[in-house]
Amino acid sequence: MNKETGYYQRLIKRYIDNNCTPQEATELFDYLQQSSSNRVLLQEMKDLYNAGAGDIQTITKAEWSQRVRNELLQHIQTETTVIPLYKRWLPQVAAAAIILIGATIFFQYFNKSSATNDTVAVKPITTAPAKEVLPGTDKAILTLADGTVIVLDSAKTGSIAAQGGTVLKNKNGLIVYDASSNAASTGEIAFNTISTPKGGQYQVVLPDGSKAWLNAASSLRFPTAFTGSTRTVELTGEGYFEIAKNEKMPFHVKANNVDVEVLGTHFNIMAYGNEAATRTTLLEGSVKLNSGSSSGYLKPGQQADVNSTGVMKVGPGNVDEAVAWKNGNFYFDNTSLTTIMRQFERWYNIDVNYEGVEKKRFFSVEMSRNMSLSQVLKLLDAADIQFKIDQNRLSVIY
């Protein structure tokens, strides 16, 4: 073992023991990108998690963390050969592994070559809070037409309610509306509302078979069976939809002052009241948007922003960014700090306040939404910004 290899292997050991300085960590990952001697062990960490993905629900994160630590320590003492590593797999692994292997440095390393002078990657300079702020979970409130309220995160598996010809079933955290063939003709159509709180998300299968995913702090109002010539639902917050095709009955999503009309397609609508615009991003099929006197069509990969006055702007969209939340990730592509904080407020059920004179900061990073608040803040490192966590309040100090 030559002196250079031994030096960097000792840096790896120092890194997993949290003893590396930021300069040493950057030096280590710079070396791993240039050298063919040690990159394989990082690939092996990826393979270890991919191979055990089926077990992740049955063991704790601490056990996973220890398993990866043992694997890494075993390879520190051996010479290795090259296997290239790419950043795309990082958001797919468990949060414990992300922190263990050094996602912070990876995100900084891979983004620094493309970052502009105004784009920075982040490090909180506060100590961890006594009580960790945990990420959101699958939970929602279902309000039936008669006012009955069902807490979905604690509802038992199986049938949970019946309305007219429609039976509501909870299938492993998925609410399914099972409408009988004559439900639409019984005259007993009612409207239900499913609402997610801050720190919650949920999925529902509508009576026509269409699927809807709700992000945190969102709600969807819909009928227990679709009748007439259209299928119409009302959205607040953010939702991702996969619409069952029915050319004779177009599907409409009404969100703020926007009406999105589809026949059968996949799309995301972000319609939070504290965002600058209602944004529709199309993944598959086609949609028509109407807002006041404005209208337009989207092709796959395009998005439309409609502001509060109804002005519509159609252009290329970032599909990965739009649906990252539905896939369990945060995805920021040159995103402002205040926009990021609004997402954190909704997902971690926190209040964010700002101290000092605002400095414009933009970030490019992709990371798991399964991490705690302090863990995601470690991936946002700006030398002139501090983060302070006090219970469910996050202070951004310029």
Side-chain angles (χ1 to χ4, degrees):
M1 181 184 300
N2 61 45
K3 181 178 179 180
E4 183 185 43
T5 301
Y7 170 75
Y8 286 106
Q9 288 182 341
R10 286 191 294 274
L11 277 188
I12 293 174
K13 178 62 167 64
R14 283 172 55 78
Y15 188 81
I16 66 170
D17 288 338
N18 294 319
N19 291 326
C20 263
T21 66
Q23 293 79 8
E24 288 175 333
T26 300
E27 179 185 5
L28 170 62
F29 283 95
D30 280 341
Y31 169 73
L32 293 178
Q33 288 300 307
Q34 298 167 5
S35 169
S36 63
S37 62
N38 282 323
R39 285 186 288 183
V40 67
L41 68 93
L42 296 177
Q43 177 67 27
E44 289 174 352
M45 295 304 99
K46 170 193 173 182
D47 294 340
L48 177 65
Y49 266 80
N50 289 342
D55 299 329
I56 193 67
Q57 301 298 327
T58 61
I59 66 176
T60 67
K61 289 181 179 179
E63 289 171 324
W64 271 105
S65 181
Q66 187 60 46
R67 183 179 300 185
V68 174
R69 180 179 294 274
N70 292 340
E71 185 78 8
L72 186 55
L73 289 173
Q74 176 182 346
H75 284 79
I76 285 175
Q77 305 303 324
T78 62
E79 302 262 1
T80 56
T81 56
V82 63
I83 296 180
L85 175 68
Y86 300 93
K87 68 174 181 177
R88 296 297 298 173
W89 62 269
L90 282 168
Q92 301 170 2
V93 301
I98 292 178
I99 299 303
L100 179 66
I101 330 176
T104 303
I105 302 301
F106 267 119
F107 285 124
Q108 294 181 23
Y109 181 87
F110 281 110
N111 283 296
K112 69 181 182 181
S113 61
S114 59
T116 66
N117 291 334
D118 292 329
T119 302
V120 293
V122 164
K123 141 186 125 180
I125 58 178
T126 62
T127 57
K131 184 177 180 181
E132 185 63 275
V133 179
L134 299 178
T137 59
D138 290 339
K139 55 186 175 184
I141 297 294
L142 179 65
T143 304
L144 305 184
D146 63 2
T148 299
V149 174
I150 300 174
V151 181
L152 295 178
D153 56 354
S154 61
K156 295 181 180 180
T157 299
S159 298
I160 57 175
Q163 299 172 103
T166 302
V167 177
L168 286 68
K169 299 178 181 178
N170 188 345
K171 297 182 178 180
N172 298 320
L174 168 67
I175 292 298
V176 178
Y177 277 71
D178 188 0
S180 64
S181 58
N182 65 344
S185 60
T186 62
E188 299 180 8
I189 306 303
F191 283 85
N192 289 177
T193 301
I194 181 172
S195 304
T196 57
K198 292 172 67 174
Q201 62 181 10
Y202 222 79
Q203 182 183 355
V204 59
V205 177
L206 299 173
D208 65 338
S210 296
K211 299 177 181 179
W213 286 256
L214 288 182
N215 202 351
S218 303
S219 69
L220 185 70
R221 183 176 183 268
F222 53 92
T224 57
F226 290 107
T227 62
S229 59
T230 62
R231 298 170 287 169
T232 302
V233 302
E234 299 173 17
L235 172 73
T236 63
E238 184 166 20
Y240 172 81
F241 297 86
E242 294 183 355
I243 303 304
K245 293 183 178 180
N246 185 341
E247 294 183 357
K248 296 180 179 180
M249 189 182 290
F251 196 101
H252 290 256
V253 179
K254 295 184 179 295
N256 292 335
N257 58 338
V258 179
D259 179 6
V260 180
E261 178 183 347
V262 302
L263 297 177
T265 186
H266 299 179
F267 60 99
N268 190 82
I269 301 179
M270 189 273 291
Y272 289 110
N274 62 349
E275 299 292 347
T278 297
R279 172 169 293 177
T280 303
T281 307
L282 182 63
L283 283 75
E284 177 184 307
S286 64
V287 301
K288 179 182 179 181
L289 292 91
N290 295 290
S291 179
S293 60
S294 301
S295 64
Y297 290 87
L298 292 185
K299 298 178 181 179
Q302 289 186 319
Q303 72 182 27
D305 287 347
V306 180
N307 66 20
S308 59
T309 63
V311 176
M312 183 181 304
K313 180 181 179 181
V314 176
N318 188 327
V319 171
D320 290 337
E321 183 177 26
V323 302
W325 68 269
K326 179 252 182 185
N327 296 328
N329 299 319
F330 290 113
Y331 187 108
F332 305 125
D333 184 9
N334 199 33
T335 305
S336 70
L337 180 62
T338 52
T339 299
I340 292 173
M341 289 301 120
R342 288 196 295 271
Q343 290 197 34
F344 287 178
E345 281 184 313
R346 293 188 285 261
W347 185 235
Y348 292 99
N349 190 17
I350 60 172
D351 295 319
V352 177
N353 68 288
Y354 301 86
E355 301 178 16
V357 180
E358 180 182 358
K359 300 178 178 67
K360 296 295 184 181
R361 293 292 182 267
F362 300 85
F363 301 85
S364 295
V365 60
E366 185 174 5
M367 52 191 173
S368 171
R369 294 214 312 176
N370 292 325
M371 292 188 289
S372 68
L373 178 60
S374 64
Q375 288 172 336
V376 298
L377 289 177
K378 289 178 181 177
L379 304 184
L380 301 180
D381 184 3
D384 54 353
I385 297 178
Q386 303 177 33
F387 298 95
K388 179 181 178 182
I389 304 174
D390 182 9
Q391 296 184 346
N392 280 65
R393 177 175 291 275
L394 173 64
S395 297
V396 179
I397 306 171
Y398 293 107

